[in-house]
Amino acid sequence: TLSCASIRQQFSIPENIRLSQFTLKLFRRLKEEFGADADIGFREGGYLILAGENGLPILQANHEAQMAEGADIVLEDAEALVRRFPWLSAEGITAGAYGRSGEGWFDAHAMLMLFRKALRTKDIDFITASVTGIERQGGRVTGVTLENGERLEAGIVVNAAGPNAGKVAAMAGLALPVEPRKRNVFVFEAREKYDDMPLLVDPSGIYVRPEGSVYITGGAEPEEGEGPADPTDFEPDWPLFEEVIWPVLATR
């Protein structure tokens, strides 16, 4: 629930686009699946991914992949974007891709609670314990060992460890190139309110979107030369906001 809880179809490969479309279909039938009071506050505000001249070929190639999968994404030049969003500065912008439908953000905690509540009516055991080992016979996982010494036999083990997925896979002798990176998300207030604001991604990688009466923003970390982060480090890198993010947002 610390994620930005956003859903987009603006990816570069079909598999990612299809995963989002699968989830979007679930969002569309929440009440059928979870009951009449099911609500995750899904706001279909769209993504707006901006590119300068250098980034335009990648944006165009990604847009072709998205269109091939039936995504409702429109690619527009800077002039058209400013007509669509009059508050937007097109300084340094050549074009942008905007999701007219099927993209936006939601309440991740509400979604988690929907699943937990639904699972309580099924034949499901909730166990709170860390996995310390995964057993294999040939190419099949057969069980897991917990920190309390308990062993669970398993036909299927789902690795849903997020940034620690590589560490979990290694317990089963599998090399998975996933490791944690530290990312900072900041919440801020601003005098200006833009009701039509999508999740906007600047060519710098910095993003911003509305969150109720405030905004959330991030994407300031450099990608070059990064190594694995300490997965227990949740202390924000405060200078990133004023030194890196705010000047970009003020310009845009």
Side-chain angles (χ1 to χ4, degrees):
T1 56
L2 288 179
S3 91
C4 289
S6 304
I7 180 169
R8 62 185 163 108
Q9 295 182 53
Q10 293 194 55
F11 289 102
S12 59
I13 59 173
E15 291 83 354
N16 274 347
I17 301 167
R18 291 171 195 169
L19 281 168
S20 287
Q21 290 173 342
F22 179 90
T23 306
L24 181 67
K25 286 174 184 172
L26 174 64
F27 284 8
R28 300 271 195 243
R29 61 174 201 274
L30 272 186
K31 295 189 187 307
E32 297 168 41
E33 295 282 345
F34 296 101
D37 60 345
D39 182 18
I40 58 168
F42 178 37
R43 182 174 172 191
E44 216 162 329
Y47 265 67
L48 173 58
I49 299 180
L50 301 173
E53 193 173 339
N54 291 341
L56 183 58
I58 296 172
L59 194 72
Q60 289 171 325
N62 290 352
H63 183 249
E64 287 176 15
Q66 295 149 18
M67 295 298 285
E69 294 300 321
D72 186 18
I73 315 294
V74 61
L75 186 65
E76 296 183 328
D77 63 20
E79 194 175 306
L81 289 173
V82 172
R83 283 198 301 271
R84 186 183 290 274
F85 302 109
W87 44 264
L88 181 72
S89 166
E91 181 181 328
I93 298 301
T94 303
Y98 172 58
R100 291 179 293 194
S101 65
E103 298 188 316
W105 48 93
F106 56 96
D107 183 337
H109 188 261
M111 188 172 177
L112 174 64
M113 290 303 104
L114 277 184
F115 274 89
R116 288 182 69 93
K117 183 180 176 184
L119 285 172
R120 288 193 186 100
T121 67
K122 312 287 185 185
D123 185 18
I124 301 288
D125 293 324
F126 285 98
I127 300 170
T128 305
S130 293
V131 173
T132 55
I134 299 177
E135 300 170 22
R136 261 176 63 180
Q137 286 185 1
R140 268 192 89 77
V141 167
T142 56
V144 298
T145 306
L146 305 180
E147 60 185 345
N148 58 15
E150 188 178 355
R151 181 186 177 277
L152 301 175
E153 288 191 16
I156 296 174
V157 173
V158 178
N159 181 351
N164 287 309
K167 184 179 175 183
V168 172
M171 293 183 195
L174 301 171
L176 185 69
V178 174
E179 53 191 30
R181 294 285 186 271
K182 185 174 179 178
R183 293 293 180 262
N184 298 262
V185 180
F186 298 94
V187 180
F188 69 94
E189 292 180 294
R191 194 168 49 239
E192 293 82 4
K193 303 293 180 198
Y194 306 119
D195 292 335
D196 62 343
M197 187 184 216
L199 192 155
L200 186 151
V201 185
D202 188 77
S204 63
I206 290 169
Y207 64 85
V208 63
R209 74 161 171 82
E211 176 64 34
S213 63
V214 296
Y215 296 90
I216 63 173
T217 184
E221 297 83 1
E223 292 191 12
E224 303 81 21
E226 276 192 300
D230 174 3
T232 64
D233 175 16
F234 284 94
E235 180 62 27
D237 293 334
W238 295 107
L240 285 178
F241 181 76
E242 289 201 17
E243 294 175 9
V244 183
I245 293 176
W246 189 246
V248 171
L249 295 186
T251 299
R252 191 56 56 222

